[in-house]
Amino acid sequence: MGWSVNRPTGLTFHRAGSSTKGYTLLTPHGDTCAYLIDIDGRVVHRWRFEHIRPGYGRLLPNGNLLMTGQDVDLPDPPPDEPTKPPPPLERHVTRLGGYHTTLCEVDWDGNVVWEYVNRFQHHDFHRFANGNTMVPEWVELPEDLHRKVRGGFKMPRERLPRLLSDDLVEVDPELNEVRRIHVWELLDPVKDPIDPTIRRWEWTHLNGFDVDDAGNIVFSTRSNSRVAVISAETGEIAFRFRETRRQHDPTWVDGGNIQVFDNGSDTSRVVEIDPRTSEVVWEYRGKPSYQFFSGHISGASRLWTGNVLVCEGTSGRLFEVTRNHEVVWEWINPFVNYRRGEPTVSLYRAHRYGVDFPGLADRDLDPMHHANLNRLHGLL
């Protein structure tokens, strides 16, 4: 029997008066639904998807859900056969982590109101105040740059594909492309090499980005363990940080600092970096440190109280921690799904919205409407 059979379900803890009141949005890996849970860990709303396998979503101020995912009719990824010619780009990308085909906006009842299909998009997205949307897109490097990039490894006798990097693509509500940023033109093939433990398929693997009010873009590239800022004024790299490893979810926080989930090699941490000094001004580690670790996915959101909501992705654990490193809320994902034939409770990211969030105004958020679902998973 698998470990999932005896896994405790519905474990929720919160310290009254210390945890940040609100509702948390999450999408378990392999699930067909996105869920909104209350501070007691009970499902109060869910969106079911039929045309995509949902991956990661955000609530919009109008109450709609912006969700990225994969076409359900997508063929299985090609087998890994290193000594044979690599598959074409459109097939090769389907076997990479974070791959998506579709970004769709659905209303509260799950009706699709907007959709952007791009068979090379992946991981993340950003909705601007003007209604435009930005996504990362995999692109092949020019041949001369492909040869210059250092690092990575290849399998014995492997016939390597062309190295991939990323563009950031912005589209307007009518799906017209209005901007394209070549991230690969901003990094150095020697000074920003691929990690030696990572296969030589991707130079960057941009797994998260965020845009501040001035238009500066902070991004994370996992394959070479870089966090960097693209200046809105110059279009060039204004800040580069090299002291995280395989990190995720860079976000701007109050005061112009940057928060990052640093996955690490055997223990993880959440760090806040001052880009003016490159100093780590705050961090959270587990106690003992090895009890907090997620080797991939994961993220951290700064809440309006100053607390941090952490998604320890591989274990399906969400927790809220204060600036004094006290854990004041914890929820263990009880939804067991299957990916590639194996059970999983993993979560890519999670976000919390306050009780006064405009998109939740006048919504019916009674957990008893989902009583059977909540009881089944030990949430009532």
Side-chain angles (χ1 to χ4, degrees):
M1 289 205 174
W3 57 266
S4 62
V5 173
N6 296 315
R7 189 175 192 271
T9 61
L11 296 180
T12 308
F13 154 81
H14 74 95
R15 191 180 303 283
S18 298
S19 51
T20 305
K21 300 298 186 292
Y23 298 90
T24 304
L25 175 70
L26 56 100
T27 307
H29 272 165
D31 210 314
T32 60
C33 297
Y35 302 92
L36 195 66
I37 64 171
D38 64 14
I39 198 67
D40 294 313
R42 304 169 299 183
V43 174
V44 297
H45 190 71
R46 68 173 169 174
W47 294 262
R48 189 183 300 278
F49 293 85
E50 295 181 351
H51 73 302
I52 63 168
R53 299 181 181 96
Y56 157 64
R58 287 180 183 267
L59 276 180
L60 301 177
N62 64 359
N64 289 353
L65 174 65
L66 195 55
M67 173 64 68
T68 187
Q70 283 187 16
D71 184 343
V72 295
D73 295 323
L74 189 73
D76 290 337
D80 185 5
E81 299 174 304
T83 61
K84 294 184 178 181
L89 176 62
E90 61 270 17
R91 296 284 289 134
H92 175 47
V93 294
T94 66
R95 57 186 179 178
L96 304 178
Y99 173 66
H100 296 137
T101 63
T102 309
L103 180 63
C104 66
E105 181 179 340
V106 299
D107 64 18
W108 190 256
D109 298 316
N111 302 302
V112 177
V113 299
W114 181 86
E115 190 165 84
Y116 171 65
V117 177
N118 179 338
R119 295 287 171 147
F120 300 101
Q121 68 181 295
H122 59 100
H123 283 94
D124 207 355
F125 56 84
H126 180 82
R127 173 62 60 84
F128 292 92
N130 65 1
N132 288 0
T133 307
M134 179 175 278
V135 301
E137 178 185 299
W138 273 305
V139 293
E140 290 183 316
L141 289 180
E143 179 64 29
D144 60 338
L145 185 55
H146 163 87
R147 294 196 189 99
K148 292 178 182 177
V149 174
R150 299 292 182 260
F153 76 93
K154 58 183 281 188
M155 303 294 286
R157 298 186 296 116
E158 181 172 10
R159 301 175 67 174
L160 289 169
R162 181 76 66 87
L163 273 174
L164 300 182
S165 188
D166 300 281
D167 284 353
L168 286 170
V169 181
E170 182 179 347
V171 298
D172 65 19
E174 288 72 43
L175 306 181
N176 301 304
E177 184 177 315
V178 298
R179 181 166 52 147
R180 179 177 288 264
I181 300 171
H182 303 310
V183 175
W184 46 274
E185 289 186 337
L186 305 176
L187 298 176
D188 188 291
V190 176
K191 295 180 180 178
D192 299 308
I194 305 169
D195 189 290
T197 64
I198 292 179
R199 199 147 169 201
R200 197 174 161 84
W201 283 2
E202 299 177 80
W203 180 21
T204 48
H205 195 83
L206 195 156
N207 59 18
F209 72 102
D210 192 25
V211 187
D212 69 8
D213 292 340
N216 300 300
I217 301 172
V218 60
F219 67 86
S220 159
T221 52
R222 174 178 166 85
S223 291
N224 52 14
S225 296
R226 294 292 183 265
V227 175
V229 172
I230 303 172
S231 167
E233 183 177 347
T234 67
E236 300 296 326
I237 296 294
F239 169 73
R240 193 185 320 251
F241 193 75
R242 296 185 171 97
E243 297 178 23
T244 51
R245 182 170 171 79
R246 301 186 180 183
Q247 72 292 321
H248 284 75
D249 199 17
T251 55
W252 294 104
V253 294
D254 291 343
N257 288 352
I258 297 165
Q259 182 174 275
V260 181
F261 187 102
D262 182 8
N263 294 80
S265 300
D266 51 17
T267 180
S268 299
R269 60 178 182 155
V270 177
V271 295
E272 180 183 341
I273 307 157
D274 184 340
R276 294 163 289 269
T277 64
S278 296
E279 179 186 1
V280 173
V281 297
W282 181 85
E283 71 174 10
Y284 172 78
R285 295 178 181 267
K287 295 181 180 180
S289 61
Y290 295 104
Q291 289 188 353
F292 174 38
F293 177 59
S294 181
H296 67 290
I297 57 176
S298 309
S301 301
R302 179 67 57 84
L303 302 177
W304 50 96
T305 59
N307 292 356
V308 178
L309 178 66
V310 181
C311 175
E312 187 181 315
T314 52
S315 66
R317 175 186 176 224
L318 304 180
F319 64 96
E320 179 184 348
V321 61
T322 70
R323 301 292 285 178
N324 293 324
H325 308 104
E326 179 187 12
V327 174
V328 294
W329 184 89
E330 186 172 18
W331 186 85
I332 307 297
N333 175 28
F335 298 100
V336 180
N337 293 286
Y338 284 80
R339 282 169 59 90
R340 302 182 182 93
E342 296 182 349
T344 179
V345 291
S346 61
L347 303 166
Y348 178 58
R349 284 190 202 162
H351 292 284
R352 183 169 297 170
Y353 301 88
V355 293
D356 58 350
F357 180 71
L360 299 178
D362 301 320
R363 304 293 185 183
D364 188 348
L365 300 174
D366 185 351
M368 294 310 296
H369 292 321
H370 301 277
N372 289 338
L373 177 69
N374 282 315
R375 289 192 186 101
L376 178 64
H377 292 91
L379 299 173
L380 275 181

